[in-house]
């Protein structure tokens, strides 16, 4: 009898041993594959040394952390980027895309052949009349490049020979949120990683004590369109690659400081215990997000020292504040954020994303755009001058522009001294300068109405591919497998705009 009872017991024990073996094997493979991966990564990260051509015997630079092996794919021109995102859609027709023919056509109906059935937003779809509208502002040519710039941008006008204008930008998105999301993540729907997160994931950080991706939002801007933290999110990439927002005021980074009446002496000890608990959890489950959490705690610990240091403006001389404008003394303003952006790239922060809202002028455009230019023009020009005089411009890329342009026709009633312009995704202007782009150059053209691109169109994915190229990345090769599919910033499109490369 006992024999018959023993057989199922023995088989149960065998099953348990088999399960334990499988568990141990899986745990072993998880740990060693990650271990082998990190060893391989360590050896591949020597790519920076190859490009830097370090003399024999010299001390090598601090290696980039968290970058992928094999990146960059080729010699980069840019080490860092400051993206001055003008949220709301600045009117190219009142700033950089001069259309003298509109003076004669002012008030006349936009020909159907020009509009060519383009869909309209809900804000002007019920208009029965679409009167073409010349800019209320004077334009002039500047510099050796003879670029046309509006009187609204006198400081930027002085620097046209540094700038590369792209007059033929195009997007498929006609409303703010999908259009901004598209520019930042390569897709109009939320959930994808932002451009800064992709660069952080691919290239890692050049400063161990600061995040590689930092976001600044002007505090005093017109809040016409909301901005969401997902615009600088990591999407499905590991969470240490998300953008970190620096705010104005006592605590630039939320929850970074020690609690009140706590001197932080045992903070290191507490973090070490926490790390061992997280490590035990990682050894059991092998979830890479646990590693990301450990990395973030460690970064936060280092930032307790590095953030107050980099955001301390007390050592900036008066002449710097004078160059950026009086508002630069007020933390959180656009001017102060431009100055802080310069300090951050000096510390080798890879991606500084600056957002300035308030460019959404559906009505009262002349008054609204004038105020926006007064807030931004001087500081933008000062940033370029400042980067140049410190030798940073040659490997720092600066990008200026919004999510789409504005229409040639007036939204609402056109009066002798007032007009508005609706969203226009079909053609608008951005400019770039610095690392690897042609200075004093204008690329692409729109028609006489400033409505359609007639030469060298540049799609949002083309711009993204070009920015990645300047960082030494082939945009088609930097991918991440998620839910069974390989994703990339440029989705399934995008061509490098070789015509703007120096």
């Amino acid at each position: 009898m006992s024999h018959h009872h023993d057989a199922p017991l023995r088989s149960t024990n065998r099953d348990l041993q088999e399960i334990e073996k499988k568990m141990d094997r899986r745990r072993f493979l998880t740990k060693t594959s990650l271990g082998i991966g990190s060893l391989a990564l360590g050896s591949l990260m020597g790519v920076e040394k190859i490009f830097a051509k370090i003399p024999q015997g010299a001390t090598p630079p601090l290696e980039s952390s968290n970058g992928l092996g094999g990146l960059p794919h080729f010699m980069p021109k840019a080490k860092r980027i400051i993206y001055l995102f003008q949220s709301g859609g600045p009117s190219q027709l009142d700033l950089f895309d001069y259309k003298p023919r509109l003076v004669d056509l002012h008030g006349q109906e936009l020909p159907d052949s020009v509009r060519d059935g383009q869909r309209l937003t809900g804000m002007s779809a019920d208009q029965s009349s679409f009167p073409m509208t010349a800019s209320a502002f004077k334009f002039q040519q500047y510099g050796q490049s003879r670029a046309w710039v509006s009187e609204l941008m006198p400081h930027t006008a002085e620097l046209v020979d540094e700038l590369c204008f792209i007059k033929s930008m195009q997007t498929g998105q006609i409303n703010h949120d999908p259009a901004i999301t598209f520019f930042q993540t390569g897709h109009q729907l939320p959930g994808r990683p932002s451009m800064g997160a992709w660069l952080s994931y691919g290239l890692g950080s050049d400063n161990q004590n600061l995040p590689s991706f930092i976001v600044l939002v002007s505090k005093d801007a017109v809040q016409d369109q909301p901005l969401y933290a997902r615009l600088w999110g990591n999407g499905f990439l590991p969470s240490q690659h998300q953008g970190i927002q620096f705010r104005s005021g006592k605590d630039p980074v939320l929850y970074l400081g020690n609690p009140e009446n706590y001197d932080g002496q045992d903070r290191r000890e507490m973090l070490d215990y926490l790390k061992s608990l997280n490590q035990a959890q990682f050894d059991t489950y092998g979830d890479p997000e646990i590693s990301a959490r450990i990395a973030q705690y460690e970064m936060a610990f280092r930032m307790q020292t590095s953030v107050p240091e980099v955001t301390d403006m007390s050592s900036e001389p008066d002449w710097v504040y004078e160059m950026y404008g009086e508002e630069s003394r007020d933390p959180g303003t656009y001017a102060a954020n431009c100055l802080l952006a310069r300090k951050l790239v000096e510390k080798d922060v890879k991606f500084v994303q600056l957002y300035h809202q308030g460019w959404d002028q559906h009505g009262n455009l002349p008054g609204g755009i004038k105020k926006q230019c007064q807030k931004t023009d001087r500081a933008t020009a000062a940033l370029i001058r400042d980067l140049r005089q410190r030798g940073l411009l040659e490997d720092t890329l600066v990008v200026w522009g919004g999510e789409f342009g504005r229409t040639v026709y007036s939204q609402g009633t056109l009066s002798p001294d007032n007009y508005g312009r609706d969203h226009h995704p079909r053609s608008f202007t951005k400019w770039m300068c610095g690392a690897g782009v042609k200075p004093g150059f204008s690329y692409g053209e729109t028609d006489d109405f400033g409505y359609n691109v007639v030469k060298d169109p540049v799609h949002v994915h083309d711009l993204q591919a070009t920015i990645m190229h300047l960082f030494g990345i082939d945009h088609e090769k930097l991918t991440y497998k998620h839910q069974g599919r390989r994703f990339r910033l440029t989705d399934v499109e995008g061509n490098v705009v070789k015509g703007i490369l120096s």
Side-chain angles (χ1 to χ4, degrees):
M1 284 289 284
S2 60
H3 175 75
H4 291 292
H5 283 296
D6 281 353
L9 276 173
R10 273 202 298 271
S11 73
T12 306
N13 287 339
R14 268 201 307 274
D15 290 347
L16 284 169
Q17 284 168 352
E18 211 44 49
I19 288 165
E20 277 175 13
K21 268 188 206 164
K22 280 179 183 168
M23 284 287 285
D24 287 344
R25 191 161 62 229
R26 189 175 67 184
R27 203 170 292 160
F28 169 77
L29 285 169
T30 306
K31 285 181 75 172
T32 52
S33 66
L34 286 160
I36 292 162
S38 58
L39 283 171
L41 180 61
S43 66
L44 283 163
M45 273 180 352
V47 73
E48 196 179 57
K49 292 180 191 170
I50 297 164
F51 286 141
K53 292 181 181 159
I54 299 158
Q56 246 184 334
T59 310
L62 189 65
E63 284 190 331
S64 295
S65 65
N66 305 325
L68 294 179
L71 280 178
H73 296 123
F74 43 84
M75 183 71 177
K77 293 277 181 75
K79 277 189 178 174
R80 53 196 95 79
I81 175 173
I82 299 173
Y83 196 145
L84 304 169
F85 199 92
Q86 312 299 322
S87 175
S91 169
Q92 74 284 5
L93 295 164
D94 296 278
L95 298 175
F96 303 117
D97 200 9
Y98 180 48
K99 296 297 168 191
R101 197 179 161 201
L102 288 178
V103 176
D104 298 327
L105 296 171
H106 186 75
Q108 292 183 34
E109 286 296 309
L110 176 68
D112 287 343
S113 59
V114 175
R115 188 181 139 198
D116 194 25
Q118 191 209 342
R119 69 186 175 128
L120 306 174
T121 72
M123 288 156 289
S124 58
D126 58 354
Q127 278 185 212
S128 55
S129 171
F130 297 95
M132 289 182 283
T133 308
S135 178
F137 305 100
K138 293 187 181 73
F139 277 75
Q140 236 179 288
Q141 284 177 293
Y142 293 88
Q144 288 185 320
S145 56
R146 310 308 295 144
W148 289 97
V149 180
S150 155
E151 62 182 318
L152 291 169
M153 293 273 194
H155 298 282
T156 303
E158 291 171 11
L159 294 174
V160 290
D161 289 339
E162 302 266 10
L163 308 182
C164 177
F165 290 97
I166 304 173
K167 302 272 184 80
S168 51
M169 283 301 308
Q170 295 183 319
T171 179
Q173 306 307 315
I174 201 168
N175 290 314
H176 294 285
D177 189 62
I180 298 175
T181 307
F182 193 43
F183 254 107
Q184 299 303 323
T185 71
H187 201 273
Q188 71 271 25
L189 296 177
R192 301 279 181 99
S194 53
M195 197 190 312
W198 276 113
L199 284 173
S200 172
Y201 169 69
L203 298 175
S205 174
D206 298 321
N207 183 330
Q208 306 299 302
N209 301 318
L210 286 167
S212 57
F213 178 22
I214 291 174
V215 178
L216 309 169
V217 180
S218 302
K219 71 173 184 183
D220 59 344
V222 180
Q223 305 289 314
D224 48 16
Q225 296 298 329
L227 294 171
Y228 303 102
R230 60 174 166 73
L231 293 170
W232 49 92
N234 57 296
F236 41 69
L237 294 176
S239 55
Q240 72 261 39
H241 302 298
Q242 66 187 313
I244 303 298
Q245 187 179 350
F246 277 26
R247 294 163 162 83
S248 58
K250 191 165 68 77
D251 293 314
V253 180
L254 297 180
Y255 314 116
L256 188 64
N258 290 321
E260 221 174 305
N261 303 320
Y262 173 66
D263 62 8
Q265 288 297 311
D266 56 356
R267 165 88 40 179
R268 180 68 265 168
E269 195 181 342
M270 183 272 283
L271 278 177
D272 289 340
Y273 276 119
L274 188 62
K275 186 177 180 178
S276 63
L277 287 171
N278 280 322
Q279 190 63 50
Q281 194 180 25
F282 178 74
D283 291 346
T284 308
Y285 300 109
D287 181 355
E289 198 52 42
I290 299 168
S291 299
R293 194 191 306 155
I294 294 170
Q296 283 170 308
Y297 274 121
E298 291 297 322
M299 173 58 82
F301 179 67
R302 297 193 296 273
M303 281 165 65
Q304 285 194 315
T305 307
S306 62
V307 170
E309 181 196 326
V310 78
T311 54
D312 176 15
M313 297 291 182
S314 58
S315 61
E316 292 294 329
D318 284 343
W319 66 264
V320 169
Y321 287 116
E322 282 158 21
M323 181 168 67
Y324 281 86
E326 201 48 44
E327 277 200 334
S328 62
R329 294 181 186 274
D330 181 7
T333 59
Y334 179 83
N337 283 346
C338 283
L339 177 49
L340 179 55
R342 186 268 289 165
K343 287 195 73 175
L344 290 169
V345 297
E346 267 186 314
K347 297 282 186 189
D348 281 323
V349 171
K350 195 170 296 299
F351 199 118
V352 181
Q353 175 78 66
L354 200 156
Y355 287 98
H356 184 78
Q357 294 156 284
W359 293 94
D360 191 27
Q361 281 107 22
H362 290 275
N364 303 314
L365 184 140
I369 201 169
K370 192 174 180 181
K371 279 182 191 154
Q372 283 296 90
C373 292
Q374 284 166 349
K375 277 187 183 295
T376 58
D377 174 45
R378 181 173 184 157
T380 300
L383 173 62
I384 294 164
R385 286 196 177 97
D386 207 0
L387 291 169
R388 186 182 58 203
Q389 71 193 7
R390 291 165 199 272
L392 289 164
L393 194 59
E394 60 197 42
D395 53 10
T396 303
L397 181 67
V398 183
V399 183
W400 183 101
E403 65 268 38
F404 40 54
R406 312 303 294 196
T407 55
V408 64
Y409 61 81
S410 178
Q411 182 182 332
T413 309
L414 172 61
S415 72
D417 57 355
N418 206 355
Y419 55 92
R421 297 192 192 274
D422 201 358
H423 307 167
H424 189 60
R426 233 185 234 197
S427 64
F428 56 108
T429 301
K430 270 192 183 275
W431 60 251
M432 302 165 83
C433 85
V437 294
K438 285 181 184 171
F441 188 68
S442 197
Y443 185 85
E445 271 177 48
T446 55
D447 59 21
D448 289 345
F449 308 92
Y451 198 92
N452 293 301
V453 171
V454 292
K455 186 184 172 195
D456 297 327
V458 177
H459 187 267
V460 174
H461 285 314
D462 300 333
L463 185 80
Q464 291 162 339
T466 307
I467 290 171
M468 300 294 261
H469 177 87
L470 289 165
F471 276 90
I473 296 172
D474 179 339
H475 71 104
E476 293 186 359
K477 289 182 182 168
L478 178 57
T479 61
Y480 189 89
K481 195 169 184 184
H482 172 66
Q483 293 184 341
R485 183 194 144 182
R486 295 198 180 277
F487 287 87
R488 61 181 215 231
L489 172 66
T490 50
D491 200 37
V492 293
E493 298 176 87
N495 295 298
V496 175
V497 187
K498 294 190 172 145
I500 68 169
L501 303 178
S502 57

